[in-house]
Amino acid sequence: NNRFDIDLININGYKIANQTLYVELADENANKQTFDILTDDDGHASFNIDYPIGKYHVNVNYFGNGFFEKCNASAKIEVLMSTTEIITYDYAYYGKNNKFYAILHDENGKNLANFEMTFTITDSKGNHNTVISHTDIYGRADVILSLDLGEYDINVEFLGDSWYKSSTSHAHISIS
């Protein structure tokens, strides 16, 4: 999770605890969302950035409390697509009904569940077979290989979506 952090301090660096901050978040189309957050014992407050890809303007206001003066701050943030990586391994298999798998995760190593991955299996003669599989809660997508003896290249592809960039991985397997 990406977080936006705010520290409320006075001019002398004193941390101002248990105070309400009013946050206004506006996207590129001027659609606004407002909410309030409370500073903790260290004058710190934060909120999750769980918004669609795009640029945002954040305004934070503190209206004072009779002892501390009011203040405000603003910032611009940009929510970017996350890169992905597919992990595959070269294997040597024996016989039929072998399980080949690939693991999909984001740039922070978080396994990505419920995403479609395409497995393109190419034999030594250039013949292709394509299989679709979905990742489980561990980011793992499996395919069962019932192939003839020989050498195969497997290209695994994730096409991406509105949050995640596409990625590919290549593996070589042999079946004896």
Side-chain angles (χ1 to χ4, degrees):
N1 283 339
N2 294 317
R3 300 188 59 75
F4 187 86
D5 294 301
I6 305 157
D7 290 310
L8 183 62
I9 57 174
N10 72 3
I11 196 165
N12 297 318
Y14 175 77
K15 299 172 183 178
I16 306 174
N18 302 314
Q19 298 297 305
T20 302
L21 304 177
Y22 299 91
V23 179
E24 179 182 85
L25 186 75
D27 66 16
E28 295 171 296
N29 299 319
N31 297 318
K32 294 181 182 177
Q33 179 182 4
T34 57
F35 53 92
D36 55 89
I37 53 179
L38 191 66
T39 60
D40 63 15
D41 290 340
D42 293 321
H44 182 79
S46 64
F47 61 91
N48 284 335
I49 305 294
D50 292 332
Y51 302 100
I53 305 301
K55 296 180 181 179
Y56 297 87
H57 187 79
V58 180
N59 286 314
V60 180
N61 290 292
Y62 172 62
F63 295 118
N65 65 359
F67 186 73
F68 294 108
E69 294 289 324
K70 66 180 180 177
C71 63
N72 62 42
S74 64
K76 292 183 181 182
I77 58 174
E78 185 173 2
V79 178
L80 303 171
M81 291 182 81
S82 179
T83 59
T84 60
E85 180 183 26
I86 298 173
I87 299 170
T88 58
Y89 300 99
D90 296 340
Y91 281 111
Y93 293 107
Y94 300 95
K96 302 260 183 191
N97 298 319
N98 297 294
K99 189 181 286 189
F100 179 84
Y101 69 91
I103 298 172
L104 176 67
H105 63 82
D106 70 10
E107 62 194 34
N108 297 314
K110 176 186 170 195
N111 294 328
L112 301 177
N114 300 316
F115 286 98
E116 183 177 283
M117 296 212 295
T118 303
F119 293 74
T120 303
I121 303 156
T122 306
D123 66 18
S124 58
K125 296 177 185 174
N127 299 315
H128 302 287
N129 183 22
T130 301
V131 179
I132 304 293
S133 183
H134 290 82
T135 57
D136 62 15
I137 62 171
Y138 304 105
R140 179 175 160 155
D142 296 334
V143 294
I144 302 298
L145 303 175
S146 290
L147 302 170
D148 294 331
L149 300 178
E151 302 286 320
Y152 297 87
D153 289 314
I154 300 179
N155 191 54
V156 183
E157 184 175 25
F158 169 63
L159 297 178
D161 67 4
S162 61
W163 285 100
Y164 296 104
K165 292 182 180 181
S166 63
S167 58
T168 61
S169 183
H170 180 80
H172 182 82
I173 65 165
S174 62
I175 304 206
S176 310

